[in-house]
Structures are given as C-alpha cells and as structure tokens.
Amino acid sequence: MEKEQRGASKTHVLLVPFPLQGHINPMIQLSKRLASKRLKITLVSTSSARISMEGREADSPVEVNFISDGYQEGKAETMDEALERIETETSLSLAKLIEDLKTTEYPAKFLIYDSIMPWMMNVALAQGLEGAPFFTQSCAATAIYAHVHQGTLKLPLPLEETQVMLPGMPELRSNDLPSLVYDPCSYPALHKLLLGQLLNLHKASFLLWNTFDGLEDEVVSWMARQWPIKPVGPTIPSIYLDKRLEDDIDYGLNLFKSNSDACLKWLDSKGIGSVVYVSFGSLATVGAEQMEEVAWGLKNSNINFLWVVRESEVKKLPTSFLEEITERGLVVSWSPQLQVLAHKSVGCFVTHCGWNSVLEALSLGVPMVAMPYWVDQPTNAKFVKDVWQVGVRVQVNEKGLVEKEEIARCIKEVMEGERRLEMKRNSERLKEMAREAVDKGGSSDKNIEEFVRKLIHN
C-alpha cells in the first residue's frame, strides 16, 4: 500500500470543466475525491470563469490553474461564436499547459474533460496523454442522445407519435425527452454540442459519470454494453454523504454570492418539514407571465416558502408580491442550496430538474415538485415522478404555462397529500443509497479506486 501511494503521488491528472457553474461544481467534487486517493490533481478552469470567481476561492486540496478561452468582457457574441471560441482557444491553451508541465516534476499523465468538450480528447492524445470524459447530465438523457446519434431514434419525431420505447428506459412520451431531441431546431448549436459528446468515445479509456448504482441501473447497463462506463457520483461535498473527506463542506468555488445568513436564520424560525424551497438554477430564464403564476401559486399554497430569484429576474415579480408574503415567504437572490436542502425545516423542493439539483435533493432526501424547462430536465422530471417516485410533475396549459392553481396543487400534494409519506420514504431510501455509493467500499468508491489503480500502473 505504501508503495502504491508513493507512486500515486507522482501521478498528475488534469480536470477541465466547461465554464458554467453546473459543470464546474461536480468537477471540483470529483477532483477532491481523486485527490483523496493520493493523486496530484489540477483543476484547469478558463479565463471567463476566473472573472466570476475572483475573491471567491476557498481552501482546497485541489490546485486550480487558469487557461485562456479567448473571452473578452463586454464583447457580444452568438452562442455559435462562443462555442467556437471556447473550442479553438482552449485547445491551444490546454496544449501549451500540458507541454509546459512536461519539464516539471509532475508532468500530466491523464486528462479528464467535460463530456461536452470532446475536442479535449484530441488535445490529450496529441500530447501523449490518455483521456476520459466526465458526464454531468444523467445517463438516461445521454442514452437518448446516443440513440439519436446512432439513428435508432429518428428526428424529427412525427407529430402524432406520443410514445417512445428505448432499451433500458421507461416508456417515454415526447415531453419526457430532452427538449433538444423533440425540438432539435430550437437551439441548433446546443443540439450539435450535446450530440457531439458521442463522436469520439471509442478513444476514451473510461467514461466517468455523475450518477450512482441503483439510480439508473437499466440504462447504465445498456450504456455499459457500448462503452466502459464508471459511475462515480453523486459528486456533492462529503459532509452531506460519507463525511470521509475532511473539511469538504461546500463546493469551494461559486460564481454567485449567496444570502447564506438570511436564508438559514429564516429557516431556523420555521417548523420541521414546513418549508417549500424554490430554485430554478443558475441559467433558467423564466418569462414574466410564468413568474407571476409561480409567485401567486406559492402564496396561494398557504405554505412557507423560500424562493431564489436571481437579481436579473426580480423585476418580473408582481408589483405587490414582496409586501404580501412577509409572513410566509422569503425571496433571496441566491442561496447556499446544499445547506438549505439539508435543513430540517425544508420539506419540498420546487426545481427545474437540472441534474445537479436533482442529485442534491436525492442525496439529502428531499421530495420534489418537478418543473422542467429544457435540455435534459424533462427526462430528469420523468424519473423523479415515475421511476423513483420521489415527487410530482407540474402540468402545463395549452400556452405552455404552469398556472398558479397547478403550482399550489403540486406543492400541497407533496407537503400534505396522501402520497407524501411514500415520497418521503423513497427519498430517504435513495439518500441512503447515495451515501453508500461514495462511502468506503461502495460502488462509486470502488470505481474511483479502479480508475486510480489503472492510472498508477499504466
């Protein structure tokens, strides 16, 4: 063991997340897990993320190195232009970093890259490194992209087709598919980006996944017949799971400043399981009409609520709303989400069903009201409601809006309905499975150990 640890300490792994909060955080946590196995770890982030991170870095066992992605503050660009810039510039700057490290005591040996940056594999191979993508969306969502990529799910879907049957998946309807599958023309650049994840997987030594055994078993089994998949999640701070990583109490890097004190003090004043927590993530933009429906739905539920409304979205709140909810509600611009979900007063999470948020809720045993918007969120919502049975899913009207009555109804169903105890039991069961997966000898821990052993002995 001592010999293996000495060897491991010389094994240098670079991890490169896509420069968005929802991609950076899970990569940070994977970095910490790998560092705990005596690997030398460097998280390689980009110049655009660095601007937002200034002054917000916490102590961490993981070294952070910044490379250029060509970002120029204030310069307008389309999504296509931004993605092309990131690919071109990070390919060059990452190659230079790897080259520079060759003359140091710790040359890079392996590259773990965000799966939506598949060009990173070509950079690694050109520099003599092996590589592995890290997937920050569910295995189920990516399996659907794989069927599109392989041609077994033809696009566009016929308008009259309402059921989709795929191996390893529950029966799906069109609104359970990722939005860029059933509506591929809505964001063509993103459609291309997500399908691009599958282009060079045959070159990868491993496919590392932010999921865990028991959560998506059937679809993971199907995917494992195609590629060498290793579930290594859930990638959330150790304090909320196995508590084996000392001082791992938060993600460590944050692109937003949270209202921690105000949130936690307010939650402390509420009864056990009496609060609905509402957050639609770091990217979702909610239309003014939908914001109004959410606002009045929360108020009309007559249940305590903590609602995260980003500063850019506050102007969409109804005129008198903040004055009318002072007794039951608190609106903040950001929150320490893990601390909130772990708080004893929180009994329900109204979520957009981004994969990170879903994994956090599952890992902390909090039932959900699923209110998906786009990309993988509809598929995640399908699993929340029908597969794991840890929540309910809102229904939209003919205009695509979720009405205030529906929002209030769903909240009451999770908080007070006949199935609330069943949903809570299922949530607690998955919480325990998540903890067991990352604990010593658990499935995700074993997968990380196997990955590390192969790195050291190659």
Side-chain angles (χ1 to χ4, degrees):
M1 175 62 73
E2 186 179 350
K3 179 179 180 181
E4 179 178 291
Q5 289 180 340
R6 283 202 302 269
S9 67
K10 292 284 187 179
T11 303
H12 191 180
V13 180
L14 307 181
L15 293 93
V16 190
F18 192 80
L20 288 175
Q21 178 86 59
H23 292 253
I24 294 171
N25 280 349
M27 192 76 89
I28 288 172
Q29 290 308 126
L30 177 60
S31 298
K32 293 175 185 177
R33 289 282 172 184
L34 292 172
S36 75
K37 306 296 185 183
R38 296 293 300 271
L39 295 176
K40 178 174 175 53
I41 300 297
T42 299
L43 183 78
V44 182
S45 194
T46 65
S47 51
S48 58
R50 183 173 196 167
I51 292 168
S52 299
M53 290 176 185
E54 287 298 333
R56 296 180 187 168
E57 295 181 31
D59 292 336
S60 170
V62 176
E63 179 182 333
V64 181
N65 196 314
F66 291 96
I67 60 174
S68 173
D69 61 7
Y71 176 76
Q72 296 179 38
E73 191 171 7
K75 182 181 179 181
E77 57 185 354
T78 64
M79 185 180 295
D80 283 309
E81 289 169 340
L83 293 175
E84 183 178 353
R85 167 182 55 77
I86 291 171
E87 177 175 353
T88 301
E89 295 295 330
T90 56
S91 293
L92 293 172
S93 54
L94 178 62
K96 184 179 185 305
L97 173 63
I98 295 171
E99 190 66 38
D100 291 344
L101 287 171
K102 289 178 180 178
T103 62
T104 70
E105 184 182 0
Y106 297 101
K109 182 173 183 179
F110 199 93
L111 177 70
I112 298 174
Y113 58 92
D114 196 301
S115 64
I116 63 173
M117 299 193 293
W119 61 85
M120 293 273 180
M121 174 61 81
N122 299 330
V123 175
L125 293 174
Q127 291 292 328
L129 277 64
E130 290 185 83
F134 176 55
F135 288 79
T136 58
Q137 291 191 352
S138 69
C139 204
T142 311
I144 296 172
Y145 301 141
H147 285 291
V148 174
H149 179 72
Q150 294 171 357
T152 51
L153 180 59
K154 304 289 186 181
L155 298 183
L157 293 173
L159 292 177
E160 67 276 7
E161 185 172 348
T162 59
Q163 294 180 330
V164 176
M165 302 298 294
L166 297 171
M169 301 284 287
E171 181 180 299
L172 302 170
R173 295 183 178 272
S174 58
N175 68 347
D176 298 325
L177 300 172
S179 62
L180 301 177
V181 170
Y182 68 75
D183 187 12
C185 297
S186 56
Y187 293 91
L190 281 179
H191 181 78
K192 178 182 177 183
L193 183 77
L194 291 169
L195 291 187
Q197 298 177 97
L198 301 150
L199 290 176
N200 57 6
L201 294 184
H202 62 283
K203 300 178 181 179
S205 306
F206 302 89
L207 275 64
L208 304 176
W209 226 289
N210 191 14
T211 190
F212 57 93
D213 283 6
L215 192 62
E216 306 177 86
D217 276 355
E218 292 185 19
V219 68
V220 167
S221 295
W222 181 83
M223 291 286 276
R225 292 195 288 272
Q226 326 291 317
W227 300 286
I229 285 180
K230 296 292 180 188
V232 294
T235 54
I236 72 169
S238 179
I239 190 66
Y240 299 102
L241 293 168
D242 58 321
K243 299 177 175 57
R244 287 195 297 149
L245 303 190
E246 187 176 353
D247 299 324
D248 184 22
I249 59 175
D250 56 32
Y251 288 114
L253 294 174
N254 194 358
L255 303 189
F256 300 90
K257 188 175 181 180
S258 68
N259 305 77
S260 300
D261 292 341
C263 292
L264 299 176
K265 184 177 179 181
W266 186 83
L267 288 172
D268 287 342
S269 70
K270 306 303 176 187
I272 295 175
S274 68
V275 175
V276 176
Y277 172 59
V278 188
S279 177
F280 301 127
S282 59
L283 288 178
T285 300
V286 182
E289 191 174 358
Q290 183 64 82
M291 281 287 280
E292 186 165 341
E293 295 293 329
V294 173
W296 297 131
L298 290 171
K299 181 177 183 296
N300 295 345
S301 73
N302 291 318
I303 295 174
N304 300 324
F305 65 88
L306 170 61
W307 186 10
V308 177
V309 180
R310 298 196 311 274
E311 291 179 359
S312 59
E313 302 280 280
V314 171
K315 61 182 179 294
K316 299 175 184 177
L317 291 173
T319 305
S320 60
F321 178 70
L322 293 177
E323 290 74 25
E324 294 190 30
I325 54 98
T326 52
E327 290 187 11
R328 284 200 175 274
L330 177 66
V331 175
V332 296
S333 60
W334 199 247
S335 75
Q337 182 157 293
L338 286 166
Q339 288 178 270
V340 170
L341 289 172
H343 199 284
K344 66 182 187 306
S345 70
V346 172
C348 172
F349 182 19
V350 180
T351 173
H352 65 310
C353 286
W355 188 236
N356 288 334
S357 289
V358 168
L359 281 180
E360 288 170 1
L362 293 174
S363 298
L364 292 167
V366 181
M368 287 169 266
V369 171
M371 191 170 168
Y373 286 88
W374 70 326
V375 198
D376 61 323
Q377 297 163 15
T379 306
N380 300 338
K382 168 69 175 179
F383 275 69
V384 165
K385 176 181 179 290
D386 294 331
V387 178
W388 306 317
Q389 298 182 30
V390 293
V392 300
R393 181 178 179 176
V394 298
Q395 298 297 312
V396 300
N397 66 14
E398 65 280 357
K399 294 168 59 179
L401 285 175
V402 185
E403 297 173 346
K404 57 182 179 291
E405 295 83 4
E406 172 68 359
I407 291 168
R409 182 193 69 79
C410 286
I411 289 172
K412 285 179 173 292
E413 184 173 348
V414 174
M415 296 289 282
E416 304 172 347
E418 292 181 1
R419 292 184 55 243
R420 64 185 176 84
L421 294 179
E422 177 190 352
M423 287 186 276
K424 183 61 178 175
R425 281 194 299 269
N426 291 337
S427 297
E428 290 293 335
R429 178 177 56 83
L430 287 168
K431 173 183 177 180
E432 181 60 20
M433 288 170 59
R435 186 198 63 77
E436 290 176 351
V438 297
D439 206 351
K440 186 173 180 62
S443 55
S444 292
D445 186 59
K446 286 180 178 177
N447 285 337
I448 292 174
E449 289 277 8
E450 181 185 348
F451 172 71
V452 170
R453 280 197 303 272
K454 289 188 177 180
L455 275 189
I456 294 169
H457 296 302
N458 276 354

